Amino acid sequence: MFRVIYIFCFLLILNSMSLGQRTGALRGLVTDSTSGEALAFGNVFIDELKIGASTDARGYFYIPSILANKTYRVIISYIGYETRQREVFILQNVITHINVKLMPAAIDIGVVEKIGEKYIEKAATDISLERIFVKDLEMLPKSVETDLFRSLQHLPGVQTVGDVSARFFVRGGSSNQNLVLLNDVPVYSPFHALGLFGSVDPDMVNFSEFYKGGFTAEHGGRLSSLMRIVTKDGNKNKFGASASGSFLTAKALIEGPIPDGSFILTGRKSHSNAILKKFLNEKDVPVDFYDLSFKVNYSNPDVLENAKFTLHGFASRDFLDNSDVLTEDFRWTNGILGFKYFQWVTDSPIFFEFSVSISNFDGEAIPNLRMILRKSRKKSIRNILDDFNFGGDVTYIFDTQDEIGVGMKINKVKTVLSLENDQGAVSEIEAEGANTVIYAKYKILHIKDFGLDFGTRVNLTRFAITTGGEFYFEPRVNLSYQLLDGIKIKAAAGRYQQELTTISDENEVISIFEPWIITPRYLVPSSAVHYIFGLETELNRYLSANIEGYYKKIKNLPLLNENKYFPADPDLIAGKGEAYGVEVLSKYEKSFFNVSGSYSLSWSFKEIDGLRYRPRYDSRHSVNLSLEINLGKGWRASAVWQYNSGLPFTQLIGYYNRMYFDDLESRNYYFIPHSILAERNAALLPDYHRLDLNLSAKFNLSFAAMYLDFSIINVYNRKNLFYFERETGKRVNMLPFLPSAAIKIEL
Amino acid sequence: MMKRPLIFILLLSVAICSCEEDFNPTAEFKQQYALFCIINGDTTYQFAVLAKSYSPENYESTKQKDLIVKGADIFLTYENKIFTLKEREYAGGEDSLSYYYTDTLKPAADKILNMKAILPDGKILQAATKTPKSTSLSFNTRTDISDTFIEEKPDGIFLIWQIIGGANEKTAYIPSLKIIYFKDEDGKSVQHEKNVPISYGVKDGIFVPNYPVLIHRTELVFSMDAVNRAMEEIAGGDPEKKKYSISHAVFSLMVLDENLTAYYMSLQSNLDGFTVILDEPEFTNIDGGLGVFGSFFKRTHRMSFDPKYVEKFGYKVY
């Protein structure tokens, strides 16, 4: 720890040596001119100096060390917006602030590229990061409606076990190793309808960042990936509303200005289950769900200059209500409420943010006659998770453009798992703990063609050990180096820890919800190391390619004890995990059409009790090809073809008849066939592939804008195998040929 | 301009559709054998069933009687004495079954039993089990005693037990409570029994009994509501309540050994209507094969009825 502090002090001194020159700085906020929405990850470029910066997630940018007393031409660009130029006079020893409003480009003129990208992005250490914008998702073919989580499966390194579920597996990690943050608050069950769809309405989303690994020190708590979803602020200029409908849901959005701020409110509700039958082999899925989101923000320079206050919330509820009294009902909800205070210190390159939030998950299997009659292995179960987060972080940007960031977070979690025991009595497994973590990181950006982001998280207390504390370090390093013009190498390494886990049976290809618990005291919290190496190339103005190789090793992986027969047997036992692979992503982007292709070659393994096996989501080869065409006059078309080599499964050797008994004493025995299985997951299902098409249009009516969307999933009706029913040998396929349509009207 | 990508997609689709699937859901079939032998510690009559596995192609056509392995030599070893099981056929038409038995073995509690089966093809299956510690089972503890009298009690009928000297932590119990009653049928008094659930579940107005299943705890409560409802159900809709005479109740406890407990637990494998599980775990303690070799004892606790309680339902006291 002291060594890290030393290094920081040294770098601070080094940076301070550059102060005192005749320079000034430029800071600003880039927003959408029509809505006032912050534009994240846009480019701000000073043409004369060939320097620039990207806007951050809040739309802010900062360019230090600009030779003062001079006027510069500042170019502000953002994909999909008209580029703007501003003449800005830079004063000595002053941070000049500008607000820039960009106008959305007319759709028919195509996409406007970011200016100066090759200068700005040189030192970016963003390995394994994908930024996802909803407008890009809307271009993709969709099974029923746009879904943030389903779109992930098009990325190399992300796997699912079938069309049925939006649950995803990243670079060999389990689904519970993915952290989903909504406005930086964890969502514990971000899925609707047995995991078929994500519960975050894309209409609410401004952008999302998806890290497939190698995430830096400010984030933690999961071993594999991080999905950070940031919602819109709401229109600051005028009131607006939209309504849309698909075969599954109806939804509405209202937004508008409030004094010194704005608000946005969205709601979505399922109205029909008919389409869901297609996902579950024509089985009726009587699920009813809704989700609600809101965000209110306030920023008044007279109250507090350069400050912004945000209050946000999210609620989702699913209810699976069976009409059959013999079948159990299920209910699960998520709730989030958060508050943020962001402050950019006036005349100083310091900004900080404090946040406080609560997140709740509550899932319940509601008993019924089937359970009462003990005909179900799934007994009555209720899982409640309460998460309280409080924290803050401070970032200081040096004149050299280097950054230092420190932060602290207190995360208090309580999990309750109520299980019905053999006699119908309910026992509660309750755990509560606080994870106090501090992090510090330093970003070197001043060395030509080189970027380095290094730091560590220090866990002062852990969930499972609440008294006495136990230090756990999670050092992380990310770097990039511009090898040649258009060729950049990137690398990352880090250690990650996870103290929450789900009681998940990985043999379940469909599960209703996964109960969360704090890792029991008898297990050491799981940890992982990531090593990632990448090569990023820009072959010409339109063509880019990205290659990444990774290696991930997981220790103390909690796996369900399949041989638990007695109360004293643990529910979970520690296993191991290992994953490695190579991913290639290439894009050709022109104004009227985009083509992208990706390939991943991956291996993943789990080990339990000395048995090493491939998990069910381990596809060796994956290919994704996509084509997007702007047809003009508001019409767009896209096609996506996806291929995965066969997923592992366990072959059936044969059957034997197991002896059952109703009454031991009377020797009333009977026999029921039971499968005999071969080596676990040693065989492969047939390859998966599917072609999806989409056609969308936007019409500007006199009073509103209307969006139409038509999709066809599985155009050539490929019978992709989901699984075989063990006892009947019946083949269950994934999604068949499925046309769908959606309409949206925006006032 | 747009034609090329469309033609490419079309050609790709045709090429993909013509792909053959090289896939087999089954692995090479290997003959395996399953041995089931559950020793009842309260009798000298013990039996075992020996069956073979079958291939997935024969799933529909195979009957249990076709799977029985005949001509095997099966030996049970207890206290250094070897018991050879004899083969016997139970003729029941479609349900005909061949099994192996002995009528001379009654093991004591907390004793090791070994089993060895030599199959006609020379294959050997072996297993061992230890009978539960149940000879000194008491329905009282130092602090609590089980109810011996059934009467109207707000807290229900309470039962507790313990094995003196301490039970194995893997010992499990299957309890049951039966009301013994007599009914006048054509001038004769015929004995019947009524099983009492621990509670009733209600959904959409339908009452469903919740009978006790395997437990690891050593106490149990039958709710008064469940006992009352069971008492009412004895006569059902019969208005002639006086035809029924309530004698007594018997609380029975099956004490299962570790292997039988684990096997019993592995049988509880049904899921909810939506979860799809592919590879279900299973338990066997048969070395060289499948199945189970386990044991149990039965212990009972007699309970009498408060006459006022019986008369409340219109029944007679036997």
Side-chain angles (χ1 to χ4, degrees):
Chain A
M1 183 63 192
F2 289 113
R3 192 176 296 174
V4 176
I5 294 167
Y6 262 144
I7 293 168
F8 282 157
C9 293
F10 173 73
L11 290 165
L12 277 169
I13 293 162
L14 198 73
N15 270 286
S16 64
M17 289 163 69
S18 64
L19 297 174
Q21 293 176 3
R22 292 181 160 195
T23 58
L26 178 66
R27 182 173 70 191
L29 174 66
V30 181
T31 56
D32 180 311
S33 65
T34 57
S35 64
E37 202 72 51
L39 294 176
F41 317 119
N43 278 3
V44 182
F45 181 60
I46 301 177
D47 200 21
E48 294 88 340
L49 301 174
K50 301 290 183 224
I51 59 167
S54 289
T55 58
D56 66 9
R58 305 171 190 92
Y60 282 100
F61 69 91
Y62 183 75
I63 306 172
S65 301
I66 304 168
L67 200 59
N69 303 320
K70 203 177 163 190
T71 300
Y72 294 95
R73 190 164 67 106
V74 180
I75 304 170
I76 305 100
S77 62
Y78 195 85
I79 288 176
Y81 285 77
E82 288 179 4
T83 299
R84 275 196 69 180
Q85 293 185 16
R86 285 273 295 268
E87 301 287 320
V88 181
F89 186 79
I90 300 295
L91 290 165
Q92 189 177 332
N93 295 331
V94 169
I95 297 173
T96 306
H97 188 96
I98 57 169
N99 286 329
V100 183
K101 292 177 180 178
L102 294 184
M103 187 179 289
I107 204 159
D108 284 337
I109 67 164
V111 218
V112 179
E113 65 171 317
K114 289 182 181 178
I115 307 292
E117 188 133 23
K118 69 175 186 174
Y119 299 101
I120 296 165
E121 296 289 320
K122 261 184 179 177
T125 54
D126 50 359
I127 196 165
S128 297
L129 169 64
E130 296 284 343
R131 292 202 169 105
I132 301 164
F133 294 87
V134 172
K135 63 182 169 49
D136 299 329
L137 299 185
E138 285 170 350
M139 290 284 293
L140 292 171
K142 48 211 66 120
S143 41
V144 189
E145 56 187 58
T146 306
D147 190 289
L148 199 53
F149 295 97
R150 280 192 168 263
S151 71
L152 297 178
Q153 55 192 256
H154 298 299
L155 299 173
V158 181
Q159 287 291 337
T160 64
V161 290
D163 297 338
V164 170
S165 181
R167 284 198 176 90
F168 55 97
F169 305 87
V170 182
R171 289 181 173 171
S174 308
S175 62
N176 63 15
Q177 293 167 4
N178 305 320
L179 176 62
V180 177
L181 295 175
L182 182 63
N183 293 317
D184 297 319
V185 185
V187 189
Y188 285 93
S189 181
F191 301 104
H192 278 311
L194 319 182
L196 265 59
F197 301 98
S199 59
V200 178
D201 181 1
D203 281 357
M204 181 79 182
V205 176
N206 186 359
F207 69 90
S208 71
E209 290 181 305
F210 180 58
Y211 290 87
K212 291 186 282 185
F215 38 97
T216 48
E218 62 267 44
H219 298 295
R222 295 292 187 279
L223 299 185
S224 282
S225 80
L226 165 68
M227 175 84 160
R228 183 167 174 259
I229 304 165
V230 177
T231 60
K232 291 174 183 168
D233 276 353
N235 199 317
K236 293 181 172 68
N237 302 329
K238 60 171 187 171
F239 286 97
S242 70
S244 59
S246 70
F247 290 142
L248 180 66
T249 66
K251 57 185 180 179
L253 177 152
I254 53 169
E255 59 183 332
I258 56 170
D260 302 310
S262 62
F263 78 96
I264 186 168
L265 173 67
T266 62
R268 179 168 61 161
K269 169 98 176 64
S270 61
H271 62 76
S272 167
N273 300 313
I275 192 91
L276 297 181
K277 284 186 178 182
K278 300 289 179 191
F279 288 79
L280 281 183
N281 204 30
E282 295 301 321
K283 189 175 185 175
D284 192 27
V285 189
V287 69
D288 180 66
F289 64 82
Y290 69 78
D291 54 70
L292 292 165
S293 312
F294 79 89
K295 196 173 184 183
V296 184
N297 66 85
Y298 177 81
S299 178
N300 183 345
D302 296 333
V303 175
L304 207 55
E305 201 178 354
N306 295 321
K308 183 179 175 183
F309 301 93
T310 308
L311 180 70
H312 59 93
F314 169 77
S316 75
R317 183 180 191 271
D318 281 67
F319 188 53
L320 203 151
D321 183 14
N322 285 294
S323 52
D324 178 4
V325 292
L326 281 174
T327 314
E328 52 273 55
D329 300 332
F330 295 87
R331 173 191 65 80
W332 61 103
T333 61
N334 283 289
I336 282 178
L337 188 65
F339 175 77
K340 276 186 179 186
Y341 161 46
F342 172 74
Q343 177 74 60
W344 193 305
V345 179
T346 309
D347 295 331
S348 176
I350 297 177
F351 59 88
F352 56 82
E353 185 173 81
F354 291 103
S355 61
V356 58
S357 67
I358 50 171
S359 177
N360 167 270
F361 168 72
D362 187 347
E364 185 180 16
I366 302 162
N368 55 26
L369 299 191
R370 184 188 173 93
M371 294 164 97
I372 291 164
L373 288 166
R374 303 282 181 259
K375 296 292 184 195
S376 170
R377 192 173 71 179
K378 292 262 166 116
K379 303 280 193 269
S380 173
I381 182 170
R382 186 167 185 197
N383 178 222
I384 301 172
L385 184 148
D386 287 313
D387 173 304
F388 170 78
N389 258 298
F390 173 75
D393 46 45
V394 184
T395 303
Y396 180 85
I397 303 173
F398 295 101
D399 281 354
T400 57
Q401 221 164 350
D402 285 4
E403 286 178 27
I404 187 167
V406 291
M408 182 178 157
K409 194 170 164 184
I410 298 168
N411 184 200
K412 192 166 181 291
V413 168
K414 181 181 178 183
T415 58
V416 181
L417 186 62
S418 306
L419 294 165
E420 180 197 9
N421 71 11
D422 301 322
Q423 286 312 300
V426 173
S427 61
E428 285 194 345
I429 305 164
E430 191 175 309
E432 189 171 4
N435 172 227
T436 307
V437 66
I438 54 169
Y439 83 85
K441 63 175 225 169
Y442 193 91
K443 221 170 169 178
I444 296 173
L445 299 169
H446 70 275
I447 302 171
K448 188 174 181 290
D449 299 331
F450 179 73
L452 175 68
D453 184 323
F454 67 98
T456 187
R457 291 172 74 80
V458 185
N459 294 271
L460 303 173
T461 62
R462 308 209 294 198
F463 288 135
I465 305 157
T466 53
T467 52
E470 185 165 305
F471 282 94
Y472 188 82
F473 284 85
E474 296 177 71
R476 317 267 173 89
V477 59
N478 290 43
L479 61 90
S480 73
Y481 179 65
Q482 188 84 29
L483 199 61
L484 296 166
D485 193 26
I487 298 179
K488 187 157 69 174
I489 54 172
K490 292 180 173 184
R495 195 155 75 157
Y496 300 82
Q497 188 196 226
Q498 180 165 344
E499 293 188 83
L500 292 170
T501 188
T502 55
I503 297 187
S504 316
D505 185 341
E506 62 179 78
N507 289 316
E508 289 181 4
V509 288
I510 303 174
S511 57
I512 291 173
F513 64 81
E514 297 180 323
W516 283 95
I517 56 166
I518 291 174
T519 304
R521 282 169 184 261
Y522 57 81
L523 290 179
V524 176
S526 52
S527 60
V529 286
H530 295 189
Y531 302 102
I532 307 168
F533 182 80
L535 185 70
E536 199 177 281
T537 62
E538 273 192 34
L539 300 171
N540 62 40
R541 197 176 153 198
Y542 307 111
L543 183 63
S544 64
N546 200 342
I547 303 170
E548 281 188 18
Y550 63 90
Y551 177 80
K552 177 159 63 184
K553 190 157 191 164
I554 301 170
K555 284 198 302 185
N556 303 313
L557 180 66
L559 297 168
L560 197 69
N561 181 7
E562 292 176 348
N563 297 314
K564 178 181 167 72
Y565 302 114
F566 304 101
D569 292 339
D571 289 304
L572 298 168
I573 48 177
K576 293 179 192 169
E578 188 179 23
Y580 46 90
V582 181
E583 295 158 7
V584 183
L585 173 65
S586 182
K587 289 180 182 173
Y588 185 81
E589 294 174 308
K590 285 198 87 170
S591 58
F592 68 93
F593 81 97
N594 296 333
V595 182
S596 72
S598 69
Y599 168 72
S600 71
L601 174 64
S602 59
W603 289 261
S604 63
F605 302 97
K606 284 184 178 177
E607 191 177 321
I608 187 166
D609 289 337
L611 174 71
R612 188 175 160 92
Y613 63 94
R614 296 174 62 180
R616 285 208 73 253
Y617 46 81
D618 178 32
S619 174
R620 185 74 69 241
H621 307 277
S622 295
V623 177
N624 261 285
L625 300 174
S626 82
L627 170 70
E628 295 170 14
I629 304 168
N630 182 352
L631 300 169
K633 295 184 179 174
W635 289 86
R636 285 174 172 268
S638 68
V640 175
W641 185 71
Q642 198 180 347
Y643 167 86
N644 291 315
S645 61
L647 296 169
F649 82 107
T650 308
Q651 282 180 307
L652 179 67
I653 291 178
Y655 296 98
Y656 77 104
N657 287 354
R658 269 206 305 200
M659 189 164 79
Y660 285 68
F661 39 86
D662 280 338
D663 181 359
L664 275 172
E665 192 189 19
S666 67
R667 290 181 163 152
N668 185 13
Y669 302 120
Y670 54 96
F671 293 87
I672 292 178
H674 187 75
S675 45
I676 303 171
L677 303 177
E679 187 186 340
R680 183 173 195 166
N681 291 347
L684 296 177
L685 291 173
D687 295 347
Y688 167 101
H689 49 86
R690 198 178 92 179
L691 175 68
D692 303 338
L693 299 177
N694 175 264
L695 182 67
S696 62
K698 180 187 175 186
F699 302 104
N700 287 313
L701 309 174
S702 57
F703 62 96
M706 185 169 77
Y707 299 82
L708 291 177
D709 191 282
F710 306 97
S711 287
I712 301 175
I713 300 298
N714 199 358
V715 171
Y716 50 84
N717 198 22
R718 159 81 179 175
K719 291 180 172 50
N720 288 307
L721 177 61
F722 188 18
Y723 63 91
F724 271 97
E725 285 183 0
R726 284 277 183 229
E727 284 165 12
T728 61
K730 188 183 160 193
R731 182 188 167 115
V732 178
N733 292 326
M734 298 195 213
L735 273 179
F737 173 84
L738 177 67
S740 69
I743 185 168
K744 179 178 171 184
I745 293 172
E746 205 172 78
L747 299 173
Chain B
M1 185 68 192
M2 291 299 106
K3 279 182 186 169
R4 279 186 191 171
L6 292 173
I7 291 168
F8 173 73
I9 290 167
L10 203 67
L11 288 174
L12 189 69
S13 306
V14 172
I16 289 160
C17 287
S18 62
C19 290
E20 288 286 323
E21 277 187 15
D22 179 21
F23 168 69
N24 187 0
T26 59
E28 186 188 352
F29 177 71
K30 287 176 193 158
Q31 188 69 69
Q32 294 190 53
Y33 297 94
L35 178 62
F36 301 95
C37 181
I38 297 173
I39 300 290
N40 182 342
D42 302 313
T43 170
T44 55
Y45 187 84
Q46 315 298 345
F47 79 101
V49 176
L50 186 58
K52 59 186 178 185
S53 65
Y54 51 102
S55 69
E57 298 92 71
N58 298 327
Y59 179 82
E60 295 291 342
S61 58
T62 302
K63 292 187 170 65
Q64 180 63 25
K65 66 174 183 178
D66 304 328
L67 300 173
I68 296 300
V69 177
K70 296 179 182 175
D73 296 318
I74 301 181
F75 309 100
L76 282 166
T77 308
Y78 170 68
E79 300 273 89
N80 298 323
K81 194 176 170 190
I82 297 172
F83 297 81
T84 304
L85 273 62
K86 295 173 217 163
E87 198 170 337
R88 177 181 279 177
E89 185 124 358
Y90 162 73
E94 279 291 297
D95 298 325
S96 298
L97 209 63
S98 185
Y99 60 96
Y100 300 83
Y101 77 100
T102 176
D103 51 9
T104 55
L105 170 63
K106 187 180 178 190
D110 203 19
K111 296 288 181 187
I112 291 173
L113 284 156
N114 288 291
M115 185 174 213
K116 185 175 184 180
I118 304 169
L119 277 60
D121 64 2
K123 192 169 176 58
I124 295 173
L125 308 182
Q126 293 186 96
T129 199
K130 191 176 186 184
T131 55
K133 288 181 182 176
S134 58
T135 36
S136 46
L137 189 141
S138 163
F139 285 96
N140 299 322
T141 67
R142 281 185 186 174
T143 52
D144 293 297
I145 54 170
S146 294
D147 287 338
T148 53
F149 197 60
I150 296 179
E151 59 186 331
E152 190 72 53
K153 290 178 181 173
D155 296 332
I157 307 301
F158 174 74
L159 290 138
I160 191 163
W161 59 92
Q162 67 168 339
I163 291 174
I164 310 296
N168 182 331
E169 63 175 16
K170 293 179 175 175
T171 302
Y173 311 92
I174 303 177
S176 70
L177 177 64
K178 286 174 179 160
I179 298 169
I180 311 299
Y181 67 95
F182 292 84
K183 183 183 174 189
D184 290 337
E185 294 175 8
D186 302 325
K188 290 181 185 170
S189 187
V190 181
Q191 183 177 327
H192 295 272
E193 46 184 54
K194 171 71 183 170
N195 216 346
V196 182
I198 49 172
S199 61
Y200 279 85
V202 186
K203 185 165 181 179
D204 299 338
I206 302 169
F207 286 87
V208 177
N210 174 17
Y211 293 108
V213 287
L214 183 130
I215 57 172
H216 293 275
R217 293 177 299 125
T218 55
E219 61 179 67
L220 192 63
V221 173
F222 288 83
S223 78
M224 209 61 229
D225 174 60
V227 180
N228 290 342
R229 193 167 291 279
M231 285 289 280
E232 281 167 9
E233 284 174 358
I234 286 175
D238 191 347
E240 293 185 63
K241 309 276 188 195
K242 292 291 178 195
K243 283 200 302 192
Y244 299 86
S245 306
I246 307 299
S247 170
H248 63 281
V250 178
F251 177 69
S252 306
L253 206 55
M254 299 288 182
V255 189
L256 278 59
D257 76 7
E258 177 181 335
N259 292 313
L260 187 54
T261 301
Y263 180 74
Y264 187 96
M265 294 297 286
S266 74
L267 297 180
Q268 314 302 304
S269 59
N270 289 317
L271 296 163
D272 56 72
F274 294 93
T275 301
V276 176
I277 189 164
L278 295 183
D279 305 346
E280 291 186 31
E282 67 170 274
F283 171 83
T284 182
N285 65 330
I286 306 293
D287 187 14
L290 302 157
V292 65
F293 179 42
S295 61
F296 72 96
F297 288 96
K298 181 184 176 184
R299 294 292 175 262
T300 56
H301 174 68
R302 188 184 163 104
M303 306 170 84
S304 55
F305 279 89
D306 175 4
K308 283 182 187 167
Y309 177 71
V310 172
E311 284 157 7
K312 188 181 91 172
F313 296 93
Y315 305 137
K316 292 194 293 187
V317 177
Y318 186 75

